Amino acid sequence: MEDDARKLEEGRLYNKDHFISEKVNKTSDHNGGGNAIDHDHEEKNKVAVVATPLEEEQIKGNDAGGSYARIDHSPWNGCTLADFVMPFFLFIVGVAIALALKKIPKINDAIKKIILRTLKLMFWGIILQGGYSHAPDDLSYGVDMKKIRWFGILQRIALVYFVVALIETFTTKLRPTVLEPGHLSIFTAYKWQWIGGFVAFLVYMITTFSLYVPDWSFVVHNKDHGSKEYLVKCGMRGHLGPACNAVGYVDRQVWGINHIYTQPVWRRLKACTLSSPSDGPLREGAPSWCTGPFEPEGLLRMVKLDSHACRVTLRLKQWVSMGFVLIVIAIILHFTDAIPINKQLYSFSYVCFTAGAAGLVFSGFYLLIDVWGYRTPFLFLEWIGMNAMLVFVMAAQGIFAAFVNGWYYKSPDNSLVHWIQKHVFINVWHSKRLGTLLYVIFGEILFWVVVAGILHKFRIYWKL
C-alpha cells in the first residue's frame, strides 16, 4: 500500500474511497486547536489524511501560468515550459563565469569580485523574495522577521555562482590552454569541475534516499478561524512524494519551518484540488500537507551538474552528444519510475533532462548566430540578456508594475496596469485567460524587450 501513498501524493490516486481517516488528534496552544494526521508510516499499510474539510483557498493567478496551468510549473512530477527557466538561467550563468573570469588575471581580484557579486545577489534575493516586497498588487511593504523567507531564486543562483566560480578560478591555471583531440579530453582537462559535480551528485543522492525523515508539523494562520496546527507523520526514507521527502526535511531543519515558501505548487495536485492542474479551493478530505510549506529553491538541489555543464558547452561537438545522452538518461529514469523528473526536488533525471535540453538549445543558437550569421532576428535576446537583472527585478518580480499601481484613482484596483489588462486585452477578447496571456506577451515581454533595446542603445546596464 506504500505505492498507494505515493500515488496519492502525486495526485494519481484521488478517489474519495481511498481517503482513509486513521486518526484526527486535537491539539491546543495559545493560538487555539488544530488537526493532526498520520501519513503513510513505514510500518503501517494505510494512507492517513485529514478527514475534515480544510479552508477553501483560491490563489490568484495574474500571469500566463495562472491562466494556463500547462505552461505553469508542474505540480509535482513532470516538466512544463516554466520548469525550464531556472536551469536555462543557471546554464547561462555558467557560460558567463567561464568567459568573465578570463578577463581577471589575478586570483585575489577574481575572488573579491566573486564574493561581492554573491553578496549582492543574496541581498536582492532576500529583499525581493524574502517577503519585504509585496509587489505588484499589494502596495504595502515590510516583513515579519519571524517569517522572512531566507532562500529564493537569486539566493540559489548566488550559491551556485559562488561555488562554481571559485572552482573555475582555482583550476584555470591547472589545465592546458589548448585541448588535445579526442572525446575524453573534455573530461581530463576539466577534471576538477567533474569531480565537484560528482561530489554534489553523491551528496544529493545519498541524502535523498538515505536520510530518515521524521514527523513534522506546521501552523496555518487564518484571519477568520484563528490558527490550526497540522501534524504530518512520516518516519521513512527515500520517499519522493510532497510530504515526506528528504529535500523538504533538510530545508525545514536548516531554515526553519517559518522561513520557507508557504504556497508550493503541489496545491494544484489532484489530491489537493478538484481544479487540478489549475489553482483552486482545496477539496474536501484533502491531505493536510496540501496547506504545508515547501521551499522550491532550497538548499539540497542538484544544481551543480547544470552549472558544470555550462562550462563544457564551449566545445560544441562534445556538448551536442552529451546533451542527447543526458536527455535519454532522464527519459529512461522518468518513465521507469526509478527517479521521476521533478523540478521541486531537482531530481537527477530533471537535472539531466534540462541540462541536456539547455545544451542543445545553446548549440542551436550558436550555429544560427555565430556560425551562420543570423544575428539580427535574435537581437532582442541579446538586449534582454545584457540587462537580465533589470528585467528580472522590474518585470518578473513586478517592481515596475507595483510602482505604476501606486498611482490609482479612488481604488487600488483602478490603476493604469489594471485598466490596460481589463480594457485592452481581457474585454477585447472576451476571455480572461486569453486576455491575460496576450497581456503577458505584449504588455510585459514585448514591453521589456523594447525597454532593454533602448537601454542597450544608450549603453545602460544593471550589473552586479
Side-chain angles (χ1 to χ4, degrees), residues 91 309 312 315-323 326 355 359-360 363:
F91 189 96
V312 300
R315 295 294 300 271
L316 185 61
K317 292 182 179 180
Q318 287 89 343
W319 181 249
V320 170
S321 58
M322 188 182 301
L326 290 174
L360 294 180
S363 301

Side-chain angles (χ1 to χ4, degrees), residues 16-185:
K16 194 171 183 178
D17 294 338
H18 291 286
F19 287 89
I20 304 172
S21 174
E22 184 169 323
K23 69 176 182 178
V24 179
N25 296 331
K26 296 295 181 181
T27 61
S28 61
D29 54 22
H30 64 282
N31 290 323
N35 296 329
I37 70 166
D38 191 20
H39 178 78
D40 27 313
H41 231 303
E42 207 169 36
E43 66 273 11
K44 296 179 182 178
N45 293 324
K46 292 183 180 180
V47 180
V49 298
V50 166
T52 56
L54 299 174
E55 293 78 21
E56 290 190 355
E57 180 177 346
Q58 178 68 48
I59 303 174
K60 295 175 63 178
N62 295 323
D63 55 15
S67 298
Y68 292 88
R70 296 300 180 184
I71 63 175
D72 200 354
H73 290 293
S74 176
W76 198 244
N77 291 338
C79 191
T80 63
L81 180 64
D83 292 329
F84 285 99
V85 175
M86 185 68 169
F88 276 37
F89 197 88
L90 288 175
F91 189 96
I92 297 302
V93 168
V95 173
I97 290 173
L99 298 176
L101 292 180
K102 287 183 177 180
K103 302 177 181 179
I104 307 176
K106 295 183 179 180
I107 293 180
N108 289 339
D109 293 339
I111 293 175
K112 291 179 182 178
K113 189 175 184 64
I114 292 169
I115 293 175
L116 182 60
R117 180 167 291 177
T118 300
L119 293 176
K120 288 179 180 179
L121 285 169
M122 296 289 289
F123 169 79
W124 281 108
I126 293 175
I127 291 293
L128 294 171
Q129 295 190 306
Y132 183 85
S133 170
H134 303 160
D137 295 315
D138 191 344
L139 300 181
S140 63
Y141 64 91
V143 60
D144 183 354
M145 293 299 293
K146 292 179 65 176
K147 301 177 182 178
I148 189 172
R149 181 186 177 198
W150 292 117
F151 222 65
I153 294 175
L154 291 182
Q155 295 96 309
R156 180 195 286 198
I157 293 174
L159 180 63
V160 173
Y161 168 80
F162 180 76
V163 174
V164 177
L166 286 182
I167 293 177
E168 179 68 16
T169 298
F170 287 114
T171 61
T172 300
K173 294 183 178 180
L174 299 179
R175 61 173 176 262
T177 56
V178 179
L179 296 184
E180 298 178 358
H183 296 289
L184 296 179
S185 62

Side-chain angles (χ1 to χ4, degrees), residues 137-416:
D137 295 315
D138 191 344
L139 300 181
S140 63
Y141 64 91
V143 60
D144 183 354
M145 293 299 293
K146 292 179 65 176
K147 301 177 182 178
I148 189 172
R149 181 186 177 198
W150 292 117
F151 222 65
I153 294 175
L154 291 182
Q155 295 96 309
R156 180 195 286 198
I157 293 174
L159 180 63
V160 173
Y161 168 80
F162 180 76
V163 174
V164 177
L166 286 182
I167 293 177
E168 179 68 16
T169 298
F170 287 114
T171 61
T172 300
K173 294 183 178 180
L174 299 179
R175 61 173 176 262
T177 56
V178 179
L179 296 184
E180 298 178 358
H183 296 289
L184 296 179
S185 62
I186 200 70
F187 298 99
T188 56
Y190 299 100
K191 62 180 179 180
W192 293 108
Q193 282 84 350
W194 284 104
I195 291 174
F198 184 69
V199 169
F201 166 77
L202 286 180
V203 170
Y204 177 87
M205 296 296 286
I206 292 174
T207 304
T208 299
F209 291 98
S210 300
L211 184 65
Y212 177 80
V213 180
D215 306 343
W216 60 283
S217 62
F218 61 94
V219 177
V220 175
H221 301 279
N222 189 289
K223 294 181 180 179
D224 298 327
H225 304 286
S227 301
K228 290 186 178 181
E229 182 178 8
Y230 297 94
L231 173 67
V232 181
K233 298 285 285 185
C234 291
M236 60 181 65
R237 292 181 174 87
H239 200 262
L240 299 180
C244 297
N245 58 78
V247 172
Y249 174 62
V250 169
D251 289 328
R252 292 191 295 271
Q253 295 301 306
V254 174
W255 311 117
I257 192 70
N258 295 324
H259 298 284
I260 57 181
Y261 193 54
T262 58
Q263 295 183 349
V265 295
W266 69 38
R267 292 167 179 252
R268 296 191 281 109
L269 282 170
K270 291 180 181 180
C272 297
T273 177
L274 295 173
S275 303
S276 181
S278 301
D279 290 326
L282 293 180
R283 63 186 297 152
E284 182 178 353
S288 69
W289 50 259
C290 291
T291 62
F294 181 80
E295 182 53 73
E297 312 298 342
L299 188 63
L300 188 64
R301 300 295 191 274
M302 273 297 296
V303 295
K304 187 63 172 66
L305 180 57
D306 287 86
S307 304
H308 166 66
C310 302
R311 184 60 188 88
V312 300
T313 54
L314 299 182
R315 295 294 300 271
L316 185 61
K317 292 182 179 180
Q318 287 89 343
W319 181 249
V320 170
S321 58
M322 188 182 301
F324 279 114
V325 170
L326 290 174
I327 290 176
V328 170
I329 291 174
I331 292 175
I332 293 174
L333 291 175
H334 180 76
F335 286 101
T336 58
D337 285 331
I339 304 178
I341 295 175
N342 188 298
K343 188 265 182 187
Q344 305 305 311
L345 299 177
Y346 258 69
S347 63
F348 179 66
S349 56
Y350 170 76
V351 171
C352 290
F353 187 70
T354 54
L360 294 180
V361 171
F362 179 86
S363 301
F365 278 120
Y366 176 78
L367 288 174
L368 288 171
I369 298 171
D370 292 307
V371 178
W372 297 336
Y374 295 106
R375 182 181 180 185
T376 302
F378 303 103
L379 281 176
F380 72 98
L381 295 176
E382 182 179 331
W383 301 338
I384 293 177
M386 296 183 73
N387 246 320
M389 188 64 182
L390 176 71
V391 175
F392 176 80
V393 173
M394 293 297 178
Q397 296 302 304
I399 300 301
F400 180 76
F403 172 78
V404 177
N405 285 338
W407 305 87
Y408 58 86
Y409 184 73
K410 292 185 178 180
S411 169
D413 293 331
N414 192 22
S415 68
L416 180 61

